[in-house]
């Protein structure tokens, strides 16, 4: 048998030979693979991630193609951001953790943002038949209220097989006007100003660095989520 035959003609063993040959060598190599430390194995292993085939559903893709055609050049669209990427709950809000949990795994279909600053301007939801279910309409109601509290409107567009660009343009324009007008909050005249974004009392801080170093200003207690500052009275 070829596999068990050893070469007996050489009286010395060549230690410079790079690799042993034959079936025994193959077995030793195979054993070496089995005995390799598991850390090495995990380094070479492919991770079990696969590409999502339907990142956008056909309805979402069809709508997206219309939206990017009708948006003005200073507005862009973000796709499926989580609510927790866009909204936060101020530190002193009651039930803060519960409310933060409620936005952790929810997302909106589209979010229109300023190209210059990526400031969110308007959320858009594509409503298919599932939105008629009671659990879904509860979810929609919560999302509407959450964005409304942050001064952002939610435009609900019914899923269709095709969209008329001019109709979508008009709907977006009307919703944007409504959304941005609700962002304007009257300035507070109280001794302790209220953050116009978080609607919580601000705190007095002293600039620790920069050209304003040593100067007193009003800062939001939700920094760094909210970076609004006001000059001292
Ligand atoms: Zn604030």
């Amino acid at each position: 048998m070829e596999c068990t035959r050893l070469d007996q003609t050489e009286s010395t063993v060549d230690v410079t030979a790079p690799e042993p040959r034959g079936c025994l060598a193959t077995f030793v190599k195979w054993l070496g693979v089995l005995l390799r430390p598991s850390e090495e194995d995990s380094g070479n292993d492919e991770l079990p991630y696969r590409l999502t085939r339907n990142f956008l559903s056909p309805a979402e893709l069809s709508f997206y193609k219309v939206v990017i055609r009708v948006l003005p050049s200073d507005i862009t669209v973000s796709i499926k951001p989580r609510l927790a990427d866009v909204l936060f709950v101020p530190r002193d809000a009651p039930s803060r953790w519960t409310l933060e949990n409620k936005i952790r795994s929810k997302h909106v279909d589209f979010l229109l943002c300023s190209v210059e600053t990526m400031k969110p301007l308007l959320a858009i939801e594509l409503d298919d038949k599932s939105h008629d279910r009671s659990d879904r309409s509860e979810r929609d109601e919560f999302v509407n209220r959450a964005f409304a509290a942050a001064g952002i409107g939610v435009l609900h567009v019914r899923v269709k097989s095709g969209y008329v660009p001019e109709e979508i343009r008009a709907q977006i324009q009307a919703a944007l006007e409504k959304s941005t007008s609700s962002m304007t909050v009257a300035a507070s005249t109280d001794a302790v100003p209220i953050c116009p974004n978080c609607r919580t009392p601000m705190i007095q801080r002293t600039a620790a660095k920069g050209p304003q170093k040593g100067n007193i200003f009003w800062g939001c207690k939700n920094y760094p989520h909210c970076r609004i500052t006001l000059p001292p009275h």
Side-chain angles (χ1 to χ4, degrees):
M1 279 172 70
E2 176 88 14
C3 266
T4 53
R5 186 170 58 81
L6 292 175
D7 190 348
Q8 301 293 324
T9 58
E10 291 179 3
S11 55
T12 56
V13 176
D14 181 7
V15 291
T16 62
E19 290 278 351
R21 288 174 294 173
C23 289
L24 182 62
T26 307
F27 175 72
V28 169
K29 272 199 219 169
W30 175 75
L31 194 67
V33 168
L34 284 185
L35 296 178
R36 206 185 293 151
S38 59
E39 301 88 68
E40 268 184 51
D41 275 352
S42 66
N44 293 331
D45 272 355
E46 181 191 41
L47 291 170
Y49 293 113
R50 302 294 181 263
L51 196 62
T52 303
R53 292 278 176 156
N54 52 347
F55 171 57
L56 288 187
S57 69
E60 288 166 341
L61 182 61
S62 164
F63 183 76
Y64 171 74
K65 286 178 178 174
V66 174
V67 165
I68 55 172
R69 275 177 58 194
V70 303
L71 280 184
S73 61
D74 59 342
I75 295 180
T76 188
V77 59
S78 167
I79 300 170
K80 297 190 184 181
R82 290 182 315 147
L83 265 63
D85 295 326
V86 186
L87 307 175
F88 77 95
V89 184
R91 291 205 173 103
D92 53 358
S95 312
R96 183 181 168 206
W97 298 115
T98 310
L99 292 169
E100 282 191 335
N101 274 331
K102 285 188 81 162
I103 60 172
R104 213 175 291 281
S105 56
K106 288 186 177 66
H107 70 264
V108 277
D109 293 330
F110 303 99
L111 184 73
L112 302 190
C113 300
S114 150
V115 167
E116 184 67 24
T117 60
M118 284 310 282
K119 181 182 178 180
L121 302 170
L122 178 72
I124 303 179
E125 289 265 77
L126 271 189
D127 292 352
D128 56 18
K129 280 190 183 132
S130 73
H131 288 252
D132 298 335
R133 294 197 322 251
S134 63
D135 61 328
R136 188 73 191 181
S137 58
E138 262 174 46
R139 177 251 175 224
D140 289 350
E141 177 62 18
F142 170 79
V143 170
N144 289 348
R145 288 178 55 212
F147 274 106
I152 301 285
V154 182
L155 171 64
H156 288 267
V157 177
R158 195 77 190 175
V159 163
K160 289 182 183 174
S161 53
Y163 301 93
V164 179
E166 279 316 308
E167 280 180 18
I168 298 299
R169 188 200 307 273
Q171 282 185 50
I172 287 177
Q173 198 173 343
L176 270 173
E177 280 166 18
K178 212 171 140 191
S179 187
T180 47
S181 68
S182 70
M183 284 182 196
T184 314
V185 177
S188 166
T189 54
D190 292 345
V192 175
I194 304 294
C195 172
N197 182 49
C198 309
R199 278 162 269 161
T200 52
M202 299 179 87
I203 50 177
Q204 216 160 50
R205 296 186 195 275
T206 306
K209 55 186 178 182
Q212 303 292 322
K213 186 176 175 180
N215 287 359
I216 291 171
F217 64 96
W218 292 103
C220 182
K221 64 173 69 166
N222 294 303
Y223 179 90
H225 288 299
C226 175
R227 292 171 182 267
I228 285 182
T229 59
L230 292 174
H233 294 308

